[in-house]
């Protein structure tokens, strides 16, 4: 090796470090994802061909990693597949590319084709709902939001009534029984629990939340598909292509008279896409 090679390699590495590195993503209806790196830095193409390049997903909270081999696709771009059968624990996963033993490099989001996730129905034989949705962070990086739930209660249509909320949904991984009911649990006082009757229709359910029965605060919605003896299942909306529904899905609040005074109440989705209801004193709500 001549002494010029390391200098040339170093020069290209510096150039690569300033180049944008992003990945397109295509989702399939089973929940699998395929990532294609759209900018090939020096050495990435040959490394992928030699089996020495990886698409790395790193869990944001505990640092756990899932390493997927990058291999050249027909269009020449390095490509990695995350099949639906590979479990990805619930949470947020940051995406990187790593060549050989080099430092992992953060990826930016490219084009996402998530059409197959819209109105998706989970077909897992075990009733397990596995959802992975790629998205761009506020810093412009590529990440994947993952959910892995069994059983699962998928929220469907929400109907905003004069003083009530109508909820429809479907349960996965368990059966609805005649003893089924829904729970509203106080966020700050979990021991405070209100029940409401559920109308089951095979795997589908519906129930109504009467705002007049709620005190001020945040109430989380749960399903008890088998009554007191069965599981408690958080009601959430996961089976679509929206990673963070909180800023996207906006529902009106309604004014209701309660035994504790007038309140403004309405539903919303949390940062985990779980369904909750917020209740505020009318005076506080009108001041916002």
């Amino acid at each position: 090796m001549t002494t010029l090679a390391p200098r040339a390699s170093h020069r290209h590495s510096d150039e690569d470090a300033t180049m944008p590195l992003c990945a397109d993503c295509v989702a399939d209806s089973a929940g699998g994802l395929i990532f294609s790196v759209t900018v090939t830095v020096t050495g990435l193409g040959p490394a992928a061909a030699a089996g020495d390049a990886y698409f790395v997903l790193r869990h944001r909270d505990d640092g756990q990693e899932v390493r997927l081999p990058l291999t050249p696709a027909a269009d020449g771009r390095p490509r990695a597949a995350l099949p639906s059968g590979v479990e990805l624990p619930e949470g947020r996963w940051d995406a990187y590319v790593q060549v050989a033993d080099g430092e992992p490099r953060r990826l930016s989001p490219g084009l996402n084709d998530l059409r197959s996730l819209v109105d998706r129905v989970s077909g897992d034989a075990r009733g397990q709902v596995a959802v992975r949705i790629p998205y761009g962070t506020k810093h412009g990086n590529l990440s994947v939001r993952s959910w892995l739930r069994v059983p699962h209660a998928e929220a469907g249509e929400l109907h905003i009534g004069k003083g009530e909320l109508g909820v429809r949904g479907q349960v996965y991984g368990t059966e609805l029984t005649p003893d089924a009911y829904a729970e509203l649990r106080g966020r700050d006082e979990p021991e405070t629990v209100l029940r409401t009757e559920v109308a089951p229709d095979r795997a589908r359910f519906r129930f109504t939340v009467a705002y007049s029965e709620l005190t001020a605060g945040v109430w989380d919605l749960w399903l008890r598909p088998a009554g007191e003896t069965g599981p408690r299942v958080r009601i959430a909306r996961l089976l679509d292509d929206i990673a963070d529904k909180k800023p996207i899905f906006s529902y009106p609040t309604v004014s209701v008279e309660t035994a504790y005074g007038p309140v403004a109440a309405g539903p919303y989705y949390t940062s985990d896409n779980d369904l909750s209801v917020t209740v505020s004193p009318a005076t506080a709500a009108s001041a916002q």
Side-chain angles (χ1 to χ4, degrees):
M1 178 182 297
T2 66
T3 56
L4 295 178
R7 293 179 185 174
S9 175
H10 179 71
R11 185 184 71 243
H12 290 309
S13 295
D14 290 343
E15 292 173 356
D16 293 342
T18 64
M19 293 176 63
L21 185 60
C22 62
D24 297 339
C25 181
V26 177
D28 62 45
S29 59
L33 300 176
I34 297 177
F35 298 93
S36 299
V37 179
T38 58
V39 175
T40 302
V41 300
T42 302
L44 181 54
D52 208 12
Y54 298 91
F55 184 93
V56 180
L57 290 170
R58 181 181 297 165
H59 196 283
R60 191 173 297 174
D61 294 333
D62 62 17
Q64 178 183 353
E65 289 188 352
V66 173
R67 298 170 63 84
L68 305 171
L70 280 164
T71 56
D75 60 5
R77 295 188 297 171
R79 182 170 294 175
L82 178 66
S84 58
V86 174
E87 289 193 354
L88 198 65
E90 189 158 326
R92 297 182 187 271
W93 296 77
D94 297 328
Y96 300 81
V97 160
Q98 185 174 17
V99 177
D101 295 327
E103 287 295 319
R105 286 189 54 186
R106 199 73 167 88
L107 280 162
S108 298
L111 299 176
N112 289 334
D113 184 353
L114 308 180
R115 290 172 294 178
S116 63
L117 299 182
V118 179
D119 297 326
R120 176 180 164 225
V121 175
S122 176
D124 188 283
R126 299 165 295 175
Q128 177 175 270
V129 171
V131 176
R132 301 87 169 266
I133 305 177
Y135 70 98
T137 71
K138 62 181 180 181
H139 300 297
N141 295 317
L142 174 64
S143 293
V144 175
R145 183 65 172 93
S146 174
W147 290 267
L148 190 63
R149 297 188 178 182
V150 58
H152 168 60
E154 176 73 7
E157 295 179 356
L158 302 184
H159 297 272
I160 311 299
K162 213 169 186 182
E164 62 186 27
L165 169 68
V167 179
R168 293 177 180 267
Q170 182 168 344
V171 68
Y172 295 89
T174 190
E175 294 183 356
L176 288 169
T177 73
D179 297 324
Y181 62 87
E183 284 184 351
L184 291 91
R185 304 179 71 87
R187 175 80 56 82
D188 296 326
E189 299 178 358
E191 67 280 0
T192 303
V193 180
L194 299 178
R195 294 187 182 184
T196 183
E197 292 184 0
V198 163
D201 180 11
R202 297 184 180 179
R204 300 185 179 275
F205 61 86
R206 68 179 188 275
F207 62 88
T208 300
V209 175
Y211 292 143
S212 60
E213 299 179 5
L214 306 179
T215 57
V218 176
W219 295 81
D220 296 328
L221 275 62
W222 298 76
L223 182 69
R224 300 297 298 267
E228 293 183 352
T229 61
R232 178 182 290 115
V233 185
R234 190 71 165 94
I235 300 174
R237 183 163 181 166
L238 307 181
L239 296 174
D240 58 24
D241 62 339
I242 301 175
D244 188 0
K245 295 176 178 60
K246 189 173 183 180
I248 304 298
F249 286 53
S250 180
Y251 297 97
T253 59
V254 297
S255 298
V256 181
E257 288 291 336
T258 74
Y260 310 96
V263 300
Y268 78 99
Y269 285 104
T270 72
S271 58
D272 289 325
N273 289 356
D274 297 324
L275 182 60
S276 296
V277 169
T278 182
V279 180
S280 303
T283 52
S286 60
Q288 293 179 352

